[in-house]
Amino acid sequence: MKQVDGEKLLASLGEGVKELRGRISTDAPMDRATWFQAGGMAELLFHPHDEDDLIAFLKVLPEEVPLTVIGLGSNLLVRDGGINGAVVRLSAKGFGQAEFIGDNRIRAGAICPDKTISAVAMDNALGGFHFYYGIPGSIGGALTMNAGANGGETSERVVEIHAVDRKGNRHVLKNADMAYSYRHSHPPEGLIFTHAVFEGFPEDKAKIRADMDAVRHHRETVQPIREKTGGSTFKNPEGHSAWELIDEAGCRGMMIGGAQMSSLHCNFMINTGHASAYDLEYLGESVRQRVFEHSGVKLEWEIKRIGKFIPGREIKPFLGTVTD
Ligand SMILES: Cc1cc2nc3c(=O)[nH]c(=O)nc-3n(C[C@H](O)[C@H](O)[C@H](O)COP(=O)(O)OP(=O)(O)OC[C@H]3O[C@@H](n4cnc5c(N)ncnc54)[C@H](O)[C@@H]3O)c2cc1C
């Protein structure tokens, strides 16, 4: 049975939609938009052409319609019942570029891949960005998740963030407005990041290249980077590493349906072929339960789970709390 009705939503938006320049689609399969390649449909998916087009869309979209923003989908699990309302995914054309702007700074659009920032930084002998080389997300996702690795994280490099709110008003934020914590930020509610300015420091190109190569080599050795995955499933709890707790609880390689905790890196959950979002989330909650029983530690999800369950296939969090 169809879980969403995009045509009805689109029709309700009225004539203003005709002025939009970006691509709009209804009942859009979200398995194509996420690394897990699982999950249901978005009622409406809009790829704004540029910032003005995004603002025009927000003005056409009634306030009561739920709005979800996605980046490159490398940290997202969309539930099988799909997403009610509109999903915005910035277009690469309007939001995908990164450029060196002088004074040790780079300006990047919010759908620009993290890897591109590393490359632009290296070309301009700017240090401090090698860690982005191994993170497969976008700048918008990095700002939301305070993405980091190999000793660096987003909060250390950002200077200024540009965003648009739900009503289509533009905002400029300072880094301090983002209230970062470990793999999390807490900016004012409901903002869509459009671009950001980053600052590094002068560094020798050969050193930067060597650091980037080390990042790549490390990833290829210890992470299942060619699988359908969402990266680390759970955050590292204070004083512990999530993978060790998972391993000690006997969950390495554990499977439910087509979902598996990777044997190579047991904090990475993978879709081995045709896993449903239900399989993946049920596996994650089962791991949380086993780890709690074994060590008393409550793991918190790092992967964002969004959308709705198929009726009758709801998953109750085993530990009574849902964490994002
Ligand atoms: C193989 C693999 C390895 C990984 N390794 C790492 C790692 O080392 N370190 C690390 O930190 N992460 C890692 N990740 C996780 C992931 O890449 C990061 O969390 C990344 O920052 C997510 O970016 P994204 O564009 O894919 O965001 P998405 O997954 O699409 O979205 C994540 C969140 O960001 C929000 N968001 C995205 N764009 C915007 C925007 N423009 N405005 C407002 N909100 C927005 C979404 O609403 C959502 O809440 C890994 C993932 C994979 C698959």
Side-chain angles (χ1 to χ4, degrees):
M1 200 184 75
K2 213 167 115 175
Q3 306 291 328
V4 294
D5 190 352
E7 283 302 325
K8 198 168 151 199
L9 175 58
L10 183 60
S12 75
L13 301 187
E15 292 295 299
V17 171
K18 293 189 181 142
E19 308 295 319
L20 300 173
R21 288 168 290 130
R23 190 155 41 92
I24 196 158
S25 47
T26 54
D27 301 351
M30 295 304 287
D31 57 353
R32 295 196 196 142
T34 61
W35 267 61
F36 272 125
Q37 294 180 32
M41 296 180 192
E43 222 161 1
L44 205 72
L45 176 63
F46 180 56
H47 296 263
H49 187 75
D50 53 26
E51 203 168 295
D52 288 341
D53 199 34
L54 170 62
I55 290 170
F57 175 72
L58 293 167
K59 291 194 187 294
V60 164
L61 192 71
E63 261 186 66
E64 64 277 11
V65 177
L67 177 69
T68 305
V69 193
I70 63 165
L72 294 174
S74 63
N75 200 56
L76 278 186
L77 180 59
V78 177
R79 295 189 173 114
D80 300 313
I83 305 177
N84 280 346
V87 172
V88 164
R89 207 297 208 151
L90 303 176
S91 67
K93 203 169 171 141
F95 302 88
Q97 313 300 319
E99 57 172 344
F100 178 63
I101 54 171
D103 290 334
N104 298 331
R105 291 184 172 192
I106 294 173
R107 181 184 188 276
I111 203 72
C112 173
D114 297 348
K115 214 172 178 167
T116 304
I117 292 231
S118 307
V120 170
M122 198 201 62
D123 288 347
N124 292 282
L126 262 194
F129 295 95
H130 66 283
F131 71 96
Y132 273 144
Y133 198 54
I135 306 180
S138 67
I139 290 312
L143 291 166
T144 304
M145 300 305 300
N146 189 15
N150 306 88
E153 67 176 20
T154 301
S155 64
E156 295 161 7
R157 300 269 69 95
V158 180
V159 181
E160 191 177 275
I161 304 104
H162 292 248
V164 170
D165 67 23
R166 181 66 174 76
K167 293 190 167 130
N169 302 308
R170 289 185 164 91
H171 296 263
V172 181
L173 284 80
K174 294 195 171 54
N175 205 24
D177 301 327
M178 294 292 286
Y180 297 105
S181 55
Y182 167 62
R183 298 297 166 267
H184 191 68
S185 69
H186 200 73
E189 193 94 346
L191 293 180
I192 301 178
F193 305 122
T194 54
H195 62 274
V197 177
F198 296 79
E199 189 170 298
F201 48 85
E203 195 167 49
D204 178 54
K205 274 193 189 184
K207 158 91 170 66
I208 300 173
R209 182 76 256 176
D211 287 346
M212 285 162 70
D213 286 346
V215 166
R216 197 191 59 230
H217 179 72
H218 174 72
R219 300 240 159 204
E220 284 177 352
T221 317
V222 302
Q223 295 183 358
I225 51 174
R226 285 178 234 299
E227 302 281 358
K228 301 173 194 172
T229 179
S232 294
T233 310
F234 302 107
K235 298 179 189 182
N236 287 323
E238 191 77 45
H240 298 276
S241 77
W243 77 262
E244 273 176 3
L245 294 168
I246 294 167
D247 209 10
E248 285 160 14
C251 301
R252 183 182 288 271
M254 182 175 166
M255 275 192 96
I256 288 182
Q260 182 177 36
M261 298 313 290
S262 163
S263 304
L264 182 62
H265 189 315
C266 61
N267 192 26
F268 275 49
M269 191 160 64
I270 53 181
N271 173 358
T272 61
H274 300 286
S276 60
Y278 178 90
D279 294 340
L280 290 155
E281 189 163 357
Y282 195 80
L283 174 63
E285 285 298 337
S286 306
V287 169
R288 288 183 74 217
Q289 185 183 32
R290 284 206 192 176
V291 166
F292 182 67
E293 284 164 4
H294 188 266
S295 63
V297 177
K298 289 185 180 182
L299 290 177
E300 278 185 41
W301 286 88
E302 181 168 325
I303 288 169
K304 300 244 180 212
R305 288 135 312 121
I306 60 172
K308 50 186 188 169
F309 295 111
I310 289 179
R313 299 265 289 167
E314 292 85 3
I315 297 173
K316 289 209 174 65
F318 286 116
L319 298 172
T321 49
V322 182
T323 57
D324 284 319

